Amino acid sequence: MRRLLVLAIYFVLFCHRPAGAASLLRLSSKASEVVHEMNLAREHPDVYAGYLEKLRGNFRGNIFALPEGTMMRTREGVAALDEAIRFLRCTRPLPPLTFSRGISLAAAEHVTDQASGALGHAGSDRSDPAERMSRHGSWSTLWGENISYGKATARDVVMALIIDDGLRGRKHRKNIFNRAYHFAGAAVGPHARYRTVWSIDFAAGWIERGQTASSLLARN
C-alpha cells in the first residue's frame, strides 16, 4: 500500500504536468531572439535604419510586406516607415537590454493566456504585466510591455514595432528605445485569430527569483 502511494505521488509530480507548464517551457525558447533583435536596433540604430530603407519597395498602396513575408495593412503607408528611418538616423546608440528568463516566463504566461484569441495587456485573471513579472522576480522603478500579433519572426516583430504604424505616440518604439530599461524578456505562441502572438516585457531594474541584489553586485 505504501509503495502504491509513493508511485501515485510520483505520477502527480512528474508525469502529470499541466499543459500550461509545458507551454511555458516551449514558448520561452524563442525569447532571446526578440531581445537580440531589439539590442541590434538599440546598439546600432544607423544600421537598422539601413534595413528599413531596403523595405520602401515593399509597399503596394497601404499594404506592406515585412522581410519574412508578413503582410500588413497600414494606416499611414510609407510615411510611417520614412518617419521611423529618420528617428533611427537621429538616435544615439543605447546599451543592450539584459535578457531575463524570469521576465520571459511572465511574457509566456500572457502568450498562453491569449492563445484562444484574446487581445490586449490584461490577463484573464485581470493581471497586468507588472503582476505577471512579480511572479518570477522583482522589478523596480519602471516596467513596460509590447504585444505583436500575426508576425512570423523576431525581425518582423521588431521592425513593425519600431515603425509603429497608426500610433501617434509610437509607444511601442518608445519602449524599445527607452534608456531607463535595462532588462527584457519575451515569448511567442499560437493565436486563434492572428496565428501568432508575441509578448515582450521590459523592466528598469530586475532581480530574478532566488537571486539577491548583493549577488548581482558581486557578479558585476
Side-chain angles (χ1 to χ4, degrees):
M1 184 69 180
R2 188 173 182 178
R3 184 178 179 184
L4 289 175
L5 179 61
V6 171
L7 288 174
I9 294 172
Y10 177 87
F11 177 81
V12 170
L13 292 178
F14 298 100
C15 300
H16 185 61
R17 294 177 63 185
S23 297
L24 290 182
L25 293 176
R26 180 175 58 83
L27 291 173
S28 64
S29 63
K30 287 189 174 182
S32 60
E33 295 179 17
V34 179
V35 177
H36 173 79
E37 190 70 20
M38 291 191 299
N39 282 340
L40 177 60
R42 282 171 63 101
E43 294 182 273
H44 306 285
D46 55 334
V47 173
Y48 219 83
Y51 295 161
L52 292 187
E53 284 180 337
K54 293 178 181 179
L55 302 180
R56 293 193 85 259
N58 289 17
F59 274 92
R60 295 294 181 271
N62 279 354
I63 304 298
F64 176 51
L66 287 162
E68 299 301 324
T70 302
M71 306 298 291
M72 293 175 53
R73 183 180 297 278
T74 66
R75 296 179 184 178
E76 301 174 60
V78 73
L81 176 66
D82 288 340
E83 189 273 331
I85 293 169
R86 290 194 297 271
F87 168 84
L88 290 168
R89 292 294 187 200
C90 297
T91 296
R92 293 182 179 181
L94 294 172
L97 297 161
T98 298
F99 171 76
S100 164
R101 180 180 180 276
I103 295 177
S104 294
L105 287 173
E109 283 186 16
H110 198 48
V111 164
T112 301
D113 195 29
Q114 294 205 330
S116 61
L119 303 173
H121 297 279
S124 59
D125 60 355
R126 300 185 180 181
S127 62
D128 62 24
E131 292 173 284
R132 293 189 289 270
M133 284 193 283
S134 294
R135 296 167 186 164
H136 304 280
S138 300
W139 64 272
S140 60
T141 308
L142 189 67
W143 60 265
E145 183 175 75
N146 284 349
I147 301 178
S148 182
Y149 300 95
K151 308 304 185 297
T153 66
R155 175 150 296 185
D156 279 4
V157 168
V158 174
M159 283 188 167
L161 292 173
I162 289 175
I163 296 169
D164 228 4
D165 173 78
L167 291 180
R168 187 184 299 273
R170 312 294 193 207
K171 61 181 181 179
H172 299 113
R173 181 198 299 169
K174 286 181 178 178
N175 277 340
I176 294 173
F177 291 94
N178 191 331
R179 183 179 292 273
Y181 289 138
H182 301 289
F183 300 88
V188 57
H191 192 267
R193 294 174 62 181
Y194 294 107
R195 293 181 298 171
T196 59
V197 52
W198 301 70
S199 180
I200 308 168
D201 290 332
F202 305 85
W206 176 257
I207 299 175
E208 300 280 357
R209 176 178 288 179
Q211 211 167 27
T212 64
S214 59
S215 69
L216 291 176
L217 290 172
R219 189 178 64 186
N220 291 337

